[in-house]
Amino acid sequence: MKKNSVYTLGSLIILLICAFVFVILPAMTGSGEAVQKPLEFGKYNGKAIRYEQNSDMANAVSYYGQLYQMYGRELDSNAYSEIFYNAFNQTVLNYAYEDAVSKSGYSVPESAVTRQMIPYFSENGKYSSKLYRSTPKERIRELKENATKTLFSQRFYDDNFGADSDLVGSTALYGVKTSSKELDFVSSYGDKLRGFNAAIFALSDYPKEEKVAYGKANSEKFIKYNLSVISVDDKSTAASVAKRIVANEITFADAVSEYSTKSFSNAEGKLTNSYRYQIENILVEKADMDKIVALTADSVSEVIPTGAYFSIFKADSEAELPDFNSDTLINQVNSYIVTYENSILEDYFTEKAKAFAAEANKTSFKTAATTLSVKTTEIAPFPMNYGNVSVTGSLVSDEAAFRNADSNENFLKTAFSLSKDEISEPLLLNRYVIVLQLSKESAPAADADKSLPDLSGFDRSSAQAAVLKSDKLENHFMEVYFREMMKNN
């Protein structure tokens, strides 16, 4: 779906006659009533971006709503959020472009406004004075104001990005021009392709026996404590609750129901993450773990600081020592390693990858893979193309190991520094360790499409990215949209 940074004549007319915002839109709120109060989604350079009748954002919502309908999109909740998101961004861009045009001193010529309005008063492609005379003066004034506003912000767009309607041959009359040197660079970009063999070691394949060995060496971490907990926001409240429990003025279970935020427990107050390392993670003072460990069955702790809360723990029964024959516990050990000791996995498979590379250098890549039972894949030739931009070919692989590899500088630097048949040092990529071998170098096929891409699209997207990241923008879109537009869903 093509999105322009300013509205065309057709969209201008749509904005004036479209009832999308205040007729179709109420269906999304779940209330059957239109949103009546103005909603402010942010500001650009101090100018509020409001959604209200006849506002710039409301007109943009109308435009995108009609566009979605024209393309046959179902107007469900996802479509509505996209429509409003696009409308917000569009309004920001228009405000930024209007600011730039204002600084230039430009004013829209009356003749340009007239040309913009003529199609509205035309029948069968011809201007109709009768239609003009029958149109209320207020409507003509609105048309003129909207045409002037559209042409004003469009001046920035056309001057910087060109206009499809103003061409000299195939070149846009307006817009930043592309130098011959840039065209030569882009046309030759991707002339050198490299293909690779790759050995893949998944960190998720860490052997069970290694997990067991780690667990046994760190068995204290995996003692499971059977505890209940009361967590409250205020220290004095926690102290009062603890005192009442000790005095038998209230049961622990009742205190859970009446006072606990249940931040660390289920509805009944049972501690949900109860391995020692998990409990230590919520304690402000690690030494307080000794107080919890010292609890005997049915005994209650003093008030213990836990993150932003103050907690009282109760031992429901004796602690459970780790059973490393249990798959549940092995999975818990694995979860701990992945979360807190991931370098153990990286180091383990880096050593495996080094052993593979050494064997491959002695024999061959294929032989080493067979001998050491290592998974390998082939990567079809691709050019140096950071981010897989569309001006040239891209890295393509079905292997998860190479997801986003096109944006990994270390991977690209290593891959394009290898000599023919050279084998790389191990590389960490996503949650994999890989070894590369440069297997082939080639040029694009003779019949490959060498036509130059439309670089103006990159100019437009770069401008949009810069504006939307500007310090001049106060963006509260997500907060306001979900608070106000989705409150009844």
Side-chain angles (χ1 to χ4, degrees), residues 9 13 17 113-135 139-140 143:
L9 170 65
I13 295 172
I17 64 175
V113 175
T114 299
R115 286 195 300 272
Q116 185 83 338
M117 292 171 62
I118 284 175
Y120 187 81
F121 303 105
S122 297
E123 292 180 325
N124 299 319
K126 293 182 179 181
Y127 171 73
S128 169
S129 58
K130 179 181 177 181
L131 182 59
Y132 179 84
R133 288 193 301 270
S134 65
T135 302
R139 171 63 74 184
I140 294 175
L143 281 168

PDB file of all heavy atoms in Angstrom, residues 9 13 17 113-135 139-140 143:
ATOM      1  N   LEU A   9      -4.758  15.347  -4.995  1.00  0.00           N
ATOM      2  CA  LEU A   9      -6.060  15.973  -5.212  1.00  0.00           C
ATOM      3  C   LEU A   9      -7.184  15.017  -4.844  1.00  0.00           C
ATOM      4  O   LEU A   9      -8.147  15.390  -4.174  1.00  0.00           O
ATOM      5  CB  LEU A   9      -6.201  16.401  -6.678  1.00  0.00           C
ATOM      6  CG  LEU A   9      -7.602  16.847  -7.081  1.00  0.00           C
ATOM      7  CD1 LEU A   9      -7.981  18.109  -6.317  1.00  0.00           C
ATOM      8  CD2 LEU A   9      -7.688  17.089  -8.575  1.00  0.00           C
ATOM      9  N   ILE A  13     -10.195  15.606  -1.957  1.00  0.00           N
ATOM     10  CA  ILE A  13     -11.648  15.506  -2.103  1.00  0.00           C
ATOM     11  C   ILE A  13     -12.210  14.500  -1.112  1.00  0.00           C
ATOM     12  O   ILE A  13     -13.240  14.729  -0.476  1.00  0.00           O
ATOM     13  CB  ILE A  13     -12.011  15.110  -3.548  1.00  0.00           C
ATOM     14  CG1 ILE A  13     -11.588  16.233  -4.503  1.00  0.00           C
ATOM     15  CG2 ILE A  13     -13.494  14.840  -3.686  1.00  0.00           C
ATOM     16  CD1 ILE A  13     -11.709  15.878  -5.965  1.00  0.00           C
ATOM     17  N   ILE A  17     -15.294  14.928   1.887  1.00  0.00           N
ATOM     18  CA  ILE A  17     -16.599  14.285   1.807  1.00  0.00           C
ATOM     19  C   ILE A  17     -16.683  12.992   2.614  1.00  0.00           C
ATOM     20  O   ILE A  17     -17.754  12.433   2.775  1.00  0.00           O
ATOM     21  CB  ILE A  17     -16.959  13.970   0.335  1.00  0.00           C
ATOM     22  CG1 ILE A  17     -15.969  12.935  -0.245  1.00  0.00           C
ATOM     23  CG2 ILE A  17     -16.954  15.238  -0.504  1.00  0.00           C
ATOM     24  CD1 ILE A  17     -16.321  12.484  -1.655  1.00  0.00           C
ATOM     25  N   VAL A 113      -3.890  27.162  -6.622  1.00  0.00           N
ATOM     26  CA  VAL A 113      -5.074  26.784  -5.861  1.00  0.00           C
ATOM     27  C   VAL A 113      -6.246  26.524  -6.808  1.00  0.00           C
ATOM     28  O   VAL A 113      -6.993  25.546  -6.663  1.00  0.00           O
ATOM     29  CB  VAL A 113      -5.448  27.880  -4.843  1.00  0.00           C
ATOM     30  CG1 VAL A 113      -6.763  27.532  -4.143  1.00  0.00           C
ATOM     31  CG2 VAL A 113      -4.331  28.048  -3.813  1.00  0.00           C
ATOM     32  N   THR A 114      -6.390  27.393  -7.802  1.00  0.00           N
ATOM     33  CA  THR A 114      -7.469  27.231  -8.776  1.00  0.00           C
ATOM     34  C   THR A 114      -7.343  25.911  -9.511  1.00  0.00           C
ATOM     35  O   THR A 114      -8.326  25.171  -9.673  1.00  0.00           O
ATOM     36  CB  THR A 114      -7.460  28.394  -9.780  1.00  0.00           C
ATOM     37  OG1 THR A 114      -7.657  29.623  -9.060  1.00  0.00           O
ATOM     38  CG2 THR A 114      -8.569  28.233 -10.809  1.00  0.00           C
ATOM     39  N   ARG A 115      -6.126  25.583  -9.970  1.00  0.00           N
ATOM     40  CA  ARG A 115      -5.920  24.301 -10.688  1.00  0.00           C
ATOM     41  C   ARG A 115      -6.250  23.118  -9.782  1.00  0.00           C
ATOM     42  O   ARG A 115      -6.803  22.119 -10.238  1.00  0.00           O
ATOM     43  CB  ARG A 115      -4.464  24.198 -11.171  1.00  0.00           C
ATOM     44  CG  ARG A 115      -4.133  25.076 -12.355  1.00  0.00           C
ATOM     45  CD  ARG A 115      -2.819  24.652 -12.992  1.00  0.00           C
ATOM     46  NE  ARG A 115      -1.699  24.737 -12.069  1.00  0.00           N
ATOM     47  CZ  ARG A 115      -0.956  25.831 -11.887  1.00  0.00           C
ATOM     48  NH1 ARG A 115      -1.234  26.947 -12.561  1.00  0.00           N
ATOM     49  NH2 ARG A 115       0.052  25.834 -11.028  1.00  0.00           N
ATOM     50  N   GLN A 116      -5.922  23.248  -8.515  1.00  0.00           N
ATOM     51  CA  GLN A 116      -6.189  22.159  -7.572  1.00  0.00           C
ATOM     52  C   GLN A 116      -7.690  21.960  -7.372  1.00  0.00           C
ATOM     53  O   GLN A 116      -8.158  20.841  -7.161  1.00  0.00           O
ATOM     54  CB  GLN A 116      -5.520  22.472  -6.221  1.00  0.00           C
ATOM     55  CG  GLN A 116      -5.610  21.366  -5.190  1.00  0.00           C
ATOM     56  CD  GLN A 116      -4.529  20.308  -5.358  1.00  0.00           C
ATOM     57  OE1 GLN A 116      -3.967  20.153  -6.444  1.00  0.00           O
ATOM     58  NE2 GLN A 116      -4.241  19.586  -4.303  1.00  0.00           N
ATOM     59  N   MET A 117      -8.469  23.044  -7.465  1.00  0.00           N
ATOM     60  CA  MET A 117      -9.906  22.966  -7.187  1.00  0.00           C
ATOM     61  C   MET A 117     -10.739  22.589  -8.409  1.00  0.00           C
ATOM     62  O   MET A 117     -11.855  22.087  -8.264  1.00  0.00           O
ATOM     63  CB  MET A 117     -10.391  24.327  -6.656  1.00  0.00           C
ATOM     64  CG  MET A 117      -9.846  24.677  -5.288  1.00  0.00           C
ATOM     65  SD  MET A 117     -10.237  26.388  -4.809  1.00  0.00           S
ATOM     66  CE  MET A 117     -12.027  26.309  -4.790  1.00  0.00           C
ATOM     67  N   ILE A 118     -10.213  22.832  -9.626  1.00  0.00           N
ATOM     68  CA  ILE A 118     -11.000  22.626 -10.846  1.00  0.00           C
ATOM     69  C   ILE A 118     -11.642  21.243 -10.925  1.00  0.00           C
ATOM     70  O   ILE A 118     -12.833  21.122 -11.256  1.00  0.00           O
ATOM     71  CB  ILE A 118     -10.150  22.920 -12.096  1.00  0.00           C
ATOM     72  CG1 ILE A 118     -10.004  24.444 -12.272  1.00  0.00           C
ATOM     73  CG2 ILE A 118     -10.761  22.300 -13.354  1.00  0.00           C
ATOM     74  CD1 ILE A 118      -9.079  24.836 -13.404  1.00  0.00           C
ATOM     75  N   PRO A 119     -10.919  20.137 -10.634  1.00  0.00           N
ATOM     76  CA  PRO A 119     -11.560  18.812 -10.754  1.00  0.00           C
ATOM     77  C   PRO A 119     -12.810  18.655  -9.890  1.00  0.00           C
ATOM     78  O   PRO A 119     -13.710  17.894 -10.228  1.00  0.00           O
ATOM     79  CB  PRO A 119     -10.450  17.851 -10.326  1.00  0.00           C
ATOM     80  CG  PRO A 119      -9.185  18.579 -10.628  1.00  0.00           C
ATOM     81  CD  PRO A 119      -9.484  20.015 -10.305  1.00  0.00           C
ATOM     82  N   TYR A 120     -12.886  19.376  -8.768  1.00  0.00           N
ATOM     83  CA  TYR A 120     -14.053  19.264  -7.910  1.00  0.00           C
ATOM     84  C   TYR A 120     -15.300  19.845  -8.585  1.00  0.00           C
ATOM     85  O   TYR A 120     -16.420  19.421  -8.305  1.00  0.00           O
ATOM     86  CB  TYR A 120     -13.791  20.002  -6.587  1.00  0.00           C
ATOM     87  CG  TYR A 120     -14.885  19.803  -5.564  1.00  0.00           C
ATOM     88  CD1 TYR A 120     -14.927  18.639  -4.790  1.00  0.00           C
ATOM     89  CD2 TYR A 120     -15.874  20.757  -5.371  1.00  0.00           C
ATOM     90  CE1 TYR A 120     -15.933  18.439  -3.858  1.00  0.00           C
ATOM     91  CE2 TYR A 120     -16.892  20.566  -4.434  1.00  0.00           C
ATOM     92  CZ  TYR A 120     -16.914  19.409  -3.681  1.00  0.00           C
ATOM     93  OH  TYR A 120     -17.910  19.213  -2.760  1.00  0.00           O
ATOM     94  N   PHE A 121     -15.085  20.800  -9.477  1.00  0.00           N
ATOM     95  CA  PHE A 121     -16.201  21.431 -10.188  1.00  0.00           C
ATOM     96  C   PHE A 121     -16.261  20.979 -11.642  1.00  0.00           C
ATOM     97  O   PHE A 121     -16.655  21.729 -12.524  1.00  0.00           O
ATOM     98  CB  PHE A 121     -16.064  22.959 -10.126  1.00  0.00           C
ATOM     99  CG  PHE A 121     -16.000  23.490  -8.731  1.00  0.00           C
ATOM    100  CD1 PHE A 121     -14.805  23.932  -8.190  1.00  0.00           C
ATOM    101  CD2 PHE A 121     -17.136  23.521  -7.938  1.00  0.00           C
ATOM    102  CE1 PHE A 121     -14.750  24.411  -6.897  1.00  0.00           C
ATOM    103  CE2 PHE A 121     -17.086  23.994  -6.637  1.00  0.00           C
ATOM    104  CZ  PHE A 121     -15.881  24.437  -6.112  1.00  0.00           C
ATOM    105  N   SER A 122     -15.856  19.740 -11.885  1.00  0.00           N
ATOM    106  CA  SER A 122     -15.854  19.213 -13.242  1.00  0.00           C
ATOM    107  C   SER A 122     -16.831  18.070 -13.377  1.00  0.00           C
ATOM    108  O   SER A 122     -17.082  17.313 -12.413  1.00  0.00           O
ATOM    109  CB  SER A 122     -14.440  18.742 -13.632  1.00  0.00           C
ATOM    110  OG  SER A 122     -13.533  19.819 -13.627  1.00  0.00           O
ATOM    111  N   GLU A 123     -17.396  17.943 -14.564  1.00  0.00           N
ATOM    112  CA  GLU A 123     -18.275  16.831 -14.918  1.00  0.00           C
ATOM    113  C   GLU A 123     -17.758  16.227 -16.216  1.00  0.00           C
ATOM    114  O   GLU A 123     -17.521  16.949 -17.192  1.00  0.00           O
ATOM    115  CB  GLU A 123     -19.714  17.306 -15.098  1.00  0.00           C
ATOM    116  CG  GLU A 123     -20.375  17.778 -13.815  1.00  0.00           C
ATOM    117  CD  GLU A 123     -21.802  18.241 -14.022  1.00  0.00           C
ATOM    118  OE1 GLU A 123     -22.106  18.831 -15.089  1.00  0.00           O
ATOM    119  OE2 GLU A 123     -22.622  17.991 -13.121  1.00  0.00           O
ATOM    120  N   ASN A 124     -17.585  14.906 -16.211  1.00  0.00           N
ATOM    121  CA  ASN A 124     -17.064  14.196 -17.390  1.00  0.00           C
ATOM    122  C   ASN A 124     -15.745  14.795 -17.857  1.00  0.00           C
ATOM    123  O   ASN A 124     -15.465  14.922 -19.056  1.00  0.00           O
ATOM    124  CB  ASN A 124     -18.077  14.239 -18.538  1.00  0.00           C
ATOM    125  CG  ASN A 124     -19.387  13.580 -18.166  1.00  0.00           C
ATOM    126  OD1 ASN A 124     -19.403  12.536 -17.514  1.00  0.00           O
ATOM    127  ND2 ASN A 124     -20.499  14.197 -18.577  1.00  0.00           N
ATOM    128  N   GLY A 125     -14.937  15.209 -16.888  1.00  0.00           N
ATOM    129  CA  GLY A 125     -13.609  15.720 -17.211  1.00  0.00           C
ATOM    130  C   GLY A 125     -13.570  17.158 -17.657  1.00  0.00           C
ATOM    131  O   GLY A 125     -12.502  17.676 -18.003  1.00  0.00           O
ATOM    132  N   LYS A 126     -14.693  17.867 -17.629  1.00  0.00           N
ATOM    133  CA  LYS A 126     -14.737  19.263 -18.082  1.00  0.00           C
ATOM    134  C   LYS A 126     -15.265  20.146 -16.964  1.00  0.00           C
ATOM    135  O   LYS A 126     -16.186  19.790 -16.238  1.00  0.00           O
ATOM    136  CB  LYS A 126     -15.627  19.401 -19.314  1.00  0.00           C
ATOM    137  CG  LYS A 126     -15.072  18.702 -20.553  1.00  0.00           C
ATOM    138  CD  LYS A 126     -15.988  18.933 -21.754  1.00  0.00           C
ATOM    139  CE  LYS A 126     -15.421  18.246 -23.000  1.00  0.00           C
ATOM    140  NZ  LYS A 126     -16.286  18.490 -24.195  1.00  0.00           N
ATOM    141  N   TYR A 127     -14.675  21.358 -16.868  1.00  0.00           N
ATOM    142  CA  TYR A 127     -15.092  22.314 -15.847  1.00  0.00           C
ATOM    143  C   TYR A 127     -16.532  22.725 -16.077  1.00  0.00           C
ATOM    144  O   TYR A 127     -16.955  22.998 -17.211  1.00  0.00           O
ATOM    145  CB  TYR A 127     -14.185  23.541 -15.875  1.00  0.00           C
ATOM    146  CG  TYR A 127     -14.672  24.660 -14.996  1.00  0.00           C
ATOM    147  CD1 TYR A 127     -14.567  24.568 -13.614  1.00  0.00           C
ATOM    148  CD2 TYR A 127     -15.261  25.797 -15.549  1.00  0.00           C
ATOM    149  CE1 TYR A 127     -15.032  25.590 -12.791  1.00  0.00           C
ATOM    150  CE2 TYR A 127     -15.724  26.822 -14.734  1.00  0.00           C
ATOM    151  CZ  TYR A 127     -15.616  26.707 -13.358  1.00  0.00           C
ATOM    152  OH  TYR A 127     -16.087  27.713 -12.556  1.00  0.00           O
ATOM    153  N   SER A 128     -17.327  22.784 -14.993  1.00  0.00           N
ATOM    154  CA  SER A 128     -18.737  23.148 -15.076  1.00  0.00           C
ATOM    155  C   SER A 128     -18.987  24.394 -14.224  1.00  0.00           C
ATOM    156  O   SER A 128     -18.941  24.339 -12.993  1.00  0.00           O
ATOM    157  CB  SER A 128     -19.621  21.997 -14.586  1.00  0.00           C
ATOM    158  OG  SER A 128     -20.959  22.422 -14.413  1.00  0.00           O
ATOM    159  N   SER A 129     -19.246  25.533 -14.899  1.00  0.00           N
ATOM    160  CA  SER A 129     -19.544  26.756 -14.167  1.00  0.00           C
ATOM    161  C   SER A 129     -20.852  26.615 -13.396  1.00  0.00           C
ATOM    162  O   SER A 129     -21.031  27.202 -12.323  1.00  0.00           O
ATOM    163  CB  SER A 129     -19.627  27.933 -15.138  1.00  0.00           C
ATOM    164  OG  SER A 129     -20.613  27.693 -16.127  1.00  0.00           O
ATOM    165  N   LYS A 130     -21.785  25.814 -13.933  1.00  0.00           N
ATOM    166  CA  LYS A 130     -23.064  25.585 -13.263  1.00  0.00           C
ATOM    167  C   LYS A 130     -22.842  24.906 -11.919  1.00  0.00           C
ATOM    168  O   LYS A 130     -23.452  25.279 -10.902  1.00  0.00           O
ATOM    169  CB  LYS A 130     -23.971  24.740 -14.146  1.00  0.00           C
ATOM    170  CG  LYS A 130     -25.323  24.428 -13.512  1.00  0.00           C
ATOM    171  CD  LYS A 130     -26.163  23.560 -14.439  1.00  0.00           C
ATOM    172  CE  LYS A 130     -27.492  23.195 -13.769  1.00  0.00           C
ATOM    173  NZ  LYS A 130     -28.314  22.313 -14.661  1.00  0.00           N
ATOM    174  N   LEU A 131     -21.950  23.898 -11.901  1.00  0.00           N
ATOM    175  CA  LEU A 131     -21.645  23.185 -10.660  1.00  0.00           C
ATOM    176  C   LEU A 131     -20.991  24.134  -9.660  1.00  0.00           C
ATOM    177  O   LEU A 131     -21.273  24.086  -8.460  1.00  0.00           O
ATOM    178  CB  LEU A 131     -20.732  21.996 -10.952  1.00  0.00           C
ATOM    179  CG  LEU A 131     -20.356  21.103  -9.778  1.00  0.00           C
ATOM    180  CD1 LEU A 131     -21.594  20.512  -9.123  1.00  0.00           C
ATOM    181  CD2 LEU A 131     -19.423  19.986 -10.244  1.00  0.00           C
ATOM    182  N   TYR A 132     -20.143  25.037 -10.167  1.00  0.00           N
ATOM    183  CA  TYR A 132     -19.474  26.003  -9.291  1.00  0.00           C
ATOM    184  C   TYR A 132     -20.499  26.941  -8.664  1.00  0.00           C
ATOM    185  O   TYR A 132     -20.480  27.191  -7.462  1.00  0.00           O
ATOM    186  CB  TYR A 132     -18.439  26.795 -10.081  1.00  0.00           C
ATOM    187  CG  TYR A 132     -17.709  27.828  -9.249  1.00  0.00           C
ATOM    188  CD1 TYR A 132     -16.611  27.484  -8.482  1.00  0.00           C
ATOM    189  CD2 TYR A 132     -18.145  29.155  -9.225  1.00  0.00           C
ATOM    190  CE1 TYR A 132     -15.950  28.431  -7.705  1.00  0.00           C
ATOM    191  CE2 TYR A 132     -17.511  30.107  -8.461  1.00  0.00           C
ATOM    192  CZ  TYR A 132     -16.404  29.736  -7.693  1.00  0.00           C
ATOM    193  OH  TYR A 132     -15.769  30.674  -6.920  1.00  0.00           O
ATOM    194  N   ARG A 133     -21.412  27.456  -9.486  1.00  0.00           N
ATOM    195  CA  ARG A 133     -22.394  28.417  -8.983  1.00  0.00           C
ATOM    196  C   ARG A 133     -23.366  27.780  -7.985  1.00  0.00           C
ATOM    197  O   ARG A 133     -23.870  28.445  -7.089  1.00  0.00           O
ATOM    198  CB  ARG A 133     -23.190  29.020 -10.156  1.00  0.00           C
ATOM    199  CG  ARG A 133     -22.378  29.993 -11.020  1.00  0.00           C
ATOM    200  CD  ARG A 133     -23.295  30.778 -11.934  1.00  0.00           C
ATOM    201  NE  ARG A 133     -24.062  29.892 -12.822  1.00  0.00           N
ATOM    202  CZ  ARG A 133     -23.658  29.500 -14.019  1.00  0.00           C
ATOM    203  NH1 ARG A 133     -22.468  29.884 -14.487  1.00  0.00           N
ATOM    204  NH2 ARG A 133     -24.421  28.713 -14.765  1.00  0.00           N
ATOM    205  N   SER A 134     -23.594  26.470  -8.145  1.00  0.00           N
ATOM    206  CA  SER A 134     -24.540  25.786  -7.251  1.00  0.00           C
ATOM    207  C   SER A 134     -23.896  25.330  -5.938  1.00  0.00           C
ATOM    208  O   SER A 134     -24.586  24.843  -5.046  1.00  0.00           O
ATOM    209  CB  SER A 134     -25.153  24.582  -7.958  1.00  0.00           C
ATOM    210  OG  SER A 134     -24.149  23.605  -8.238  1.00  0.00           O
ATOM    211  N   THR A 135     -22.601  25.477  -5.844  1.00  0.00           N
ATOM    212  CA  THR A 135     -21.889  25.068  -4.626  1.00  0.00           C
ATOM    213  C   THR A 135     -21.931  26.200  -3.608  1.00  0.00           C
ATOM    214  O   THR A 135     -21.611  27.346  -3.936  1.00  0.00           O
ATOM    215  CB  THR A 135     -20.419  24.728  -4.946  1.00  0.00           C
ATOM    216  OG1 THR A 135     -20.376  23.691  -5.918  1.00  0.00           O
ATOM    217  CG2 THR A 135     -19.690  24.266  -3.689  1.00  0.00           C
ATOM    218  N   ARG A 139     -18.687  26.038   1.262  1.00  0.00           N
ATOM    219  CA  ARG A 139     -17.986  24.861   0.737  1.00  0.00           C
ATOM    220  C   ARG A 139     -16.808  25.286  -0.132  1.00  0.00           C
ATOM    221  O   ARG A 139     -15.720  24.700  -0.049  1.00  0.00           O
ATOM    222  CB  ARG A 139     -18.957  23.992  -0.060  1.00  0.00           C
ATOM    223  CG  ARG A 139     -18.299  22.848  -0.829  1.00  0.00           C
ATOM    224  CD  ARG A 139     -17.641  21.861   0.087  1.00  0.00           C
ATOM    225  NE  ARG A 139     -18.610  21.025   0.763  1.00  0.00           N
ATOM    226  CZ  ARG A 139     -18.299  20.118   1.681  1.00  0.00           C
ATOM    227  NH1 ARG A 139     -17.042  19.960   2.036  1.00  0.00           N
ATOM    228  NH2 ARG A 139     -19.245  19.390   2.251  1.00  0.00           N
ATOM    229  N   ILE A 140     -16.993  26.299  -0.949  1.00  0.00           N
ATOM    230  CA  ILE A 140     -15.902  26.791  -1.798  1.00  0.00           C
ATOM    231  C   ILE A 140     -14.756  27.322  -0.932  1.00  0.00           C
ATOM    232  O   ILE A 140     -13.576  27.076  -1.211  1.00  0.00           O
ATOM    233  CB  ILE A 140     -16.416  27.882  -2.757  1.00  0.00           C
ATOM    234  CG1 ILE A 140     -17.409  27.278  -3.755  1.00  0.00           C
ATOM    235  CG2 ILE A 140     -15.256  28.548  -3.496  1.00  0.00           C
ATOM    236  CD1 ILE A 140     -18.069  28.297  -4.657  1.00  0.00           C
ATOM    237  N   LEU A 143     -12.909  24.385   0.437  1.00  0.00           N
ATOM    238  CA  LEU A 143     -12.085  23.791  -0.611  1.00  0.00           C
ATOM    239  C   LEU A 143     -10.810  24.593  -0.827  1.00  0.00           C
ATOM    240  O   LEU A 143      -9.715  24.045  -0.963  1.00  0.00           O
ATOM    241  CB  LEU A 143     -12.875  23.710  -1.923  1.00  0.00           C
ATOM    242  CG  LEU A 143     -13.880  22.565  -2.050  1.00  0.00           C
ATOM    243  CD1 LEU A 143     -14.771  22.800  -3.261  1.00  0.00           C
ATOM    244  CD2 LEU A 143     -13.161  21.231  -2.170  1.00  0.00           C
TER     245      LEU A 143
END
